[in-house]
Amino acid sequence: MGRGKIEIKKIENNTNRQVTFCKRRNGLFKKAYELSLLCDAEVACIVFSTRGRVYEFANNHMKSTIDKYKMATSNAPNTNSVQEINAQFYQQESKKLRQQIQMRQSTNRHLMGDGLDSLNVKELKQLETRLEKAISRVRSKKHDMILAETESLQKREIELEHYNVFLRSKITENERVQQHAVDAAGQQYNAIEEYLARSALQLNIMGSLEDTPSAYSLPINKSLHLG
Amino acid sequence: MGRGKIEIKKIENNTNRQVTFCKRRNGLFKKAYELSLLCDAEVACIVFSTRGRVYEFANNHMKSTIDKYKMATSNAPNTNSVQEINAQFYQQESKKLRQQIQMRQSTNRHLMGDGLDSLNVKELKQLETRLEKAISRVRSKKHDMILAETESLQKREIELEHYNVFLRSKITENERVQQHAVDAAGQQYNAIEEYLARSALQLNIMGSLEDTPSAYSLPINKSLHLG
DNA sequence: GGGCCTATCTATAAATG
DNA sequence: TCATTTATAGATAGGCC
């Protein structure tokens, strides 16, 4: 049917193929519709184009027809979909997990000293023993940590004391050096004063004295970081 | 196409409908095949006859085409099957529950005095406080229960002592009654002996003495039940 | 504009009553 | 089977993103 006879093989011309696809698809769906109506049949067609677009016909709902098809073709128990199996699995999992939580919650409450009414004296004694054990561990751990912290603080204290001693010795030395410089300056001043009454030399000497302490600051900082 | 034009409506004649169904079904599948080949398309058709028999065409595998169709049409969220939604729901639920368990487990371990390395001194102090609180509650509860038990035992002790006193008084009375009886019997014996040397009268008197204590057993049992 | 899809027209092949 | 209806090849134009 058509202007000429065609061979049933893939149409290479893109445009032609596209047009034929559109026409024949409509033709197919029309035939499907007629079949369903004339013969009181349930018909469903699914068509994917080359580019993956989907077209469909179903005189009934596609989903129900597919389900019916699956029912009809699978007497085997694989009718259950992967999703259904998943749902069942996770549903059971949730149930178990909830039970676990219930148990843990109960234990937890007992360990927190709540909900004790359901326990008898023997169970209360066991719980007490457990809590004593726990508290002793916690205390031991706390003790260790505080001890470690104390030790660390003591170490730091000793370091700081050493540093203190060092600083004091530096100050003493500085004062000594400063005294020397002042003395020397005084002597120089007296000597030079007679020759250069308007000179600013004394200022330069004061500047060099101020720089001197910074030579010690580096080792001092290092010692602090170790502490 | 045929000897005459037909209206597209259900063919009422059973045989005609059957024949047309067969012909048009084959025609549909042929068209589907040609479409798939000519246009390089993926085509699937499902046909159910009135009597529920299934016929199908698929140039590819029917299952994969259906899956692909479901994938393609499930951009809309309502396409997800109930099972799929369930699966997702329970999957998330399980995940959450597992996290909860993880947390509770951690808390639990801490309350049991395990896994303390991750805690700092402050947290350890809090934990200690919690445990102290818990243990004091447990001890209080235990104390209450032991106290209640002790009270109950003391009550029972008192009851038993009372019962004891009662029993002793009964025994004393019994002995007295018995003595009287024996005395009476002795006196009677002596008196009657002289008149009826072969009489069995003394045996009847002994029997009435044996029945006497049972009159007291009822109130005794009642007192026990109250205790 | 350009790619992609569909509609229309007509002669003819194909389906089918 | 086969006369006749129907589908559709081929060409082209229109609509949409």
Side-chain angles (χ1 to χ4, degrees), chain B residues 55-77:
Chain B
Y55 302 84
E56 61 181 293
F57 166 82
N59 65 319
N60 226 315
H61 283 293
M62 178 61 85
K63 191 180 173 338
S64 72
T65 304
I66 287 176
D67 287 348
K68 197 172 164 184
Y69 168 80
K70 287 197 167 174
M71 289 290 291
T73 50
S74 71
N75 292 331

Tab-separated table of all heavy atoms in Angstrom, chain B residues 55-77:
chain	number	residue	atom	x	y	z
B	55	TYR	N	-2.031	-13.037	24.138
B	55	TYR	CA	-1.170	-13.097	22.942
B	55	TYR	C	-0.239	-11.908	23.025
B	55	TYR	O	-0.615	-10.851	23.521
B	55	TYR	CB	-2.014	-13.027	21.673
B	55	TYR	CG	-3.054	-14.107	21.559
B	55	TYR	CD1	-4.304	-13.964	22.168
B	55	TYR	CD2	-2.794	-15.278	20.847
B	55	TYR	CE1	-5.258	-14.946	22.082
B	55	TYR	CE2	-3.753	-16.280	20.754
B	55	TYR	CZ	-4.983	-16.110	21.370
B	55	TYR	OH	-5.923	-17.088	21.273
B	56	GLU	N	0.938	-12.083	22.532
B	56	GLU	CA	1.879	-10.974	22.664
B	56	GLU	C	2.819	-10.872	21.467
B	56	GLU	O	3.084	-11.857	20.773
B	56	GLU	CB	2.719	-11.148	23.929
B	56	GLU	CG	3.554	-12.424	23.920
B	56	GLU	CD	4.358	-12.578	25.210
B	56	GLU	OE1	5.267	-11.758	25.430
B	56	GLU	OE2	4.066	-13.518	25.976
B	57	PHE	N	3.275	-9.683	21.227
B	57	PHE	CA	4.370	-9.480	20.283
B	57	PHE	C	5.374	-8.526	20.928
B	57	PHE	O	4.996	-7.557	21.595
B	57	PHE	CB	3.908	-8.870	18.969
B	57	PHE	CG	5.052	-8.352	18.155
B	57	PHE	CD1	5.803	-9.220	17.356
B	57	PHE	CD2	5.430	-7.016	18.202
B	57	PHE	CE1	6.882	-8.751	16.625
B	57	PHE	CE2	6.509	-6.544	17.470
B	57	PHE	CZ	7.234	-7.413	16.676
B	58	ALA	N	6.650	-8.826	20.745
B	58	ALA	CA	7.697	-7.897	21.185
B	58	ALA	C	8.933	-8.168	20.348
B	58	ALA	O	9.375	-9.312	20.248
B	58	ALA	CB	8.001	-8.081	22.657
B	59	ASN	N	9.433	-7.139	19.678
B	59	ASN	CA	10.626	-7.355	18.872
B	59	ASN	C	11.845	-7.548	19.782
B	59	ASN	O	12.815	-8.164	19.413
B	59	ASN	CB	10.861	-6.179	17.918
B	59	ASN	CG	11.158	-4.895	18.643
B	59	ASN	OD1	10.546	-4.604	19.649
B	59	ASN	ND2	12.118	-4.138	18.124
B	60	ASN	N	11.727	-6.986	21.006
B	60	ASN	CA	12.730	-7.201	22.024
B	60	ASN	C	12.117	-8.130	23.061
B	60	ASN	O	11.067	-8.695	22.821
B	60	ASN	CB	13.065	-5.841	22.668
B	60	ASN	CG	14.546	-5.649	22.789
B	60	ASN	OD1	15.249	-6.556	23.202
B	60	ASN	ND2	15.008	-4.466	22.429
B	61	HIS	N	12.737	-8.258	24.230
B	61	HIS	CA	12.097	-9.032	25.290
B	61	HIS	C	10.959	-8.226	25.899
B	61	HIS	O	11.119	-7.042	26.201
B	61	HIS	CB	13.108	-9.386	26.382
B	61	HIS	CG	14.001	-10.515	25.987
B	61	HIS	ND1	13.532	-11.793	25.815
B	61	HIS	CD2	15.323	-10.540	25.713
B	61	HIS	CE1	14.534	-12.577	25.457
B	61	HIS	NE2	15.637	-11.838	25.376
B	62	MET	N	9.828	-8.879	26.076
B	62	MET	CA	8.660	-8.184	26.632
B	62	MET	C	8.966	-7.579	27.980
B	62	MET	O	8.630	-6.422	28.255
B	62	MET	CB	7.500	-9.181	26.763
B	62	MET	CG	6.253	-8.603	27.371
B	62	MET	SD	5.578	-7.242	26.387
B	62	MET	CE	4.592	-8.172	25.199
B	63	LYS	N	9.646	-8.350	28.830
B	63	LYS	CA	9.913	-7.878	30.188
B	63	LYS	C	10.747	-6.589	30.187
B	63	LYS	O	10.416	-5.614	30.865
B	63	LYS	CB	10.657	-8.968	30.971
B	63	LYS	CG	10.741	-8.669	32.454
B	63	LYS	CD	11.473	-9.763	33.180
B	63	LYS	CE	11.726	-9.399	34.647
B	63	LYS	NZ	11.706	-7.971	34.938
B	64	SER	N	11.814	-6.624	29.364
B	64	SER	CA	12.698	-5.450	29.340
B	64	SER	C	11.957	-4.241	28.780
B	64	SER	O	12.147	-3.119	29.250
B	64	SER	CB	13.952	-5.734	28.534
B	64	SER	OG	13.643	-5.792	27.165
B	65	THR	N	11.092	-4.478	27.795
B	65	THR	CA	10.323	-3.361	27.227
B	65	THR	C	9.377	-2.780	28.268
B	65	THR	O	9.256	-1.561	28.395
B	65	THR	CB	9.534	-3.830	25.993
B	65	THR	OG1	10.438	-4.392	25.050
B	65	THR	CG2	8.800	-2.657	25.350
B	66	ILE	N	8.728	-3.679	29.024
B	66	ILE	CA	7.812	-3.204	30.066
B	66	ILE	C	8.580	-2.420	31.123
B	66	ILE	O	8.156	-1.343	31.558
B	66	ILE	CB	7.054	-4.396	30.702
B	66	ILE	CG1	5.996	-4.919	29.714
B	66	ILE	CG2	6.397	-3.973	32.016
B	66	ILE	CD1	5.261	-6.148	30.188
B	67	ASP	N	9.740	-2.962	31.531
B	67	ASP	CA	10.555	-2.252	32.532
B	67	ASP	C	10.951	-0.870	32.016
B	67	ASP	O	10.878	0.124	32.736
B	67	ASP	CB	11.808	-3.064	32.871
B	67	ASP	CG	11.477	-4.285	33.712
B	67	ASP	OD1	10.327	-4.369	34.203
B	67	ASP	OD2	12.349	-5.154	33.871
B	68	LYS	N	11.369	-0.858	30.753
B	68	LYS	CA	11.776	0.401	30.147
B	68	LYS	C	10.597	1.386	30.137
B	68	LYS	O	10.764	2.571	30.422
B	68	LYS	CB	12.238	0.125	28.711
B	68	LYS	CG	13.070	1.228	28.077
B	68	LYS	CD	13.633	0.750	26.750
B	68	LYS	CE	14.117	1.912	25.910
B	68	LYS	NZ	14.578	1.448	24.575
B	69	TYR	N	9.427	0.823	29.807
B	69	TYR	CA	8.213	1.660	29.795
B	69	TYR	C	7.959	2.248	31.173
B	69	TYR	O	7.685	3.433	31.314
B	69	TYR	CB	7.014	0.816	29.353
B	69	TYR	CG	5.695	1.504	29.575
B	69	TYR	CD1	5.235	2.467	28.678
B	69	TYR	CD2	4.911	1.201	30.677
B	69	TYR	CE1	4.028	3.111	28.882
B	69	TYR	CE2	3.708	1.840	30.896
B	69	TYR	CZ	3.268	2.790	29.994
B	69	TYR	OH	2.083	3.424	30.203
B	70	LYS	N	8.094	1.397	32.198
B	70	LYS	CA	7.855	1.871	33.563
B	70	LYS	C	8.859	2.952	33.938
B	70	LYS	O	8.496	3.970	34.540
B	70	LYS	CB	7.943	0.699	34.541
B	70	LYS	CG	6.747	-0.215	34.431
B	70	LYS	CD	6.608	-1.118	35.631
B	70	LYS	CE	5.252	-1.780	35.640
B	70	LYS	NZ	5.096	-2.773	36.713
B	71	MET	N	10.095	2.707	33.564
B	71	MET	CA	11.127	3.712	33.837
B	71	MET	C	10.764	5.035	33.174
B	71	MET	O	10.859	6.101	33.787
B	71	MET	CB	12.488	3.246	33.300
B	71	MET	CG	13.128	2.117	34.064
B	71	MET	SD	13.682	2.639	35.706
B	71	MET	CE	15.032	3.725	35.228
B	72	ALA	N	10.371	4.909	31.904
B	72	ALA	CA	10.110	6.108	31.108
B	72	ALA	C	8.920	6.892	31.641
B	72	ALA	O	8.908	8.116	31.622
B	72	ALA	CB	9.869	5.721	29.655
B	73	THR	N	7.914	6.176	32.125
B	73	THR	CA	6.694	6.850	32.553
B	73	THR	C	6.728	7.247	34.024
B	73	THR	O	5.820	7.905	34.493
B	73	THR	CB	5.457	5.964	32.313
B	73	THR	OG1	5.722	4.688	32.870
B	73	THR	CG2	5.157	5.840	30.840
B	74	SER	N	7.776	6.829	34.744
B	74	SER	CA	7.800	7.089	36.191
B	74	SER	C	8.536	8.373	36.541
B	74	SER	O	9.104	8.495	37.600
B	74	SER	CB	8.456	5.918	36.927
B	74	SER	OG	9.834	5.906	36.665
B	75	ASN	N	8.523	9.344	35.627
B	75	ASN	CA	8.974	10.671	36.026
B	75	ASN	C	7.936	11.296	36.932
B	75	ASN	O	8.260	12.050	37.828
B	75	ASN	CB	9.217	11.560	34.808
B	75	ASN	CG	10.395	11.063	34.003
B	75	ASN	OD1	11.314	10.468	34.546
B	75	ASN	ND2	10.363	11.282	32.709
B	76	ALA	N	6.695	10.949	36.639
B	76	ALA	CA	5.622	11.361	37.544
B	76	ALA	C	5.685	10.462	38.771
B	76	ALA	O	5.879	9.263	38.642
B	76	ALA	CB	4.274	11.204	36.855
B	77	PRO	N	5.540	11.040	39.974
B	77	PRO	CA	5.748	10.248	41.182
B	77	PRO	C	4.665	9.222	41.434
B	77	PRO	O	4.870	8.315	42.195
B	77	PRO	CB	5.761	11.314	42.294
B	77	PRO	CG	4.976	12.448	41.725
B	77	PRO	CD	5.207	12.424	40.253
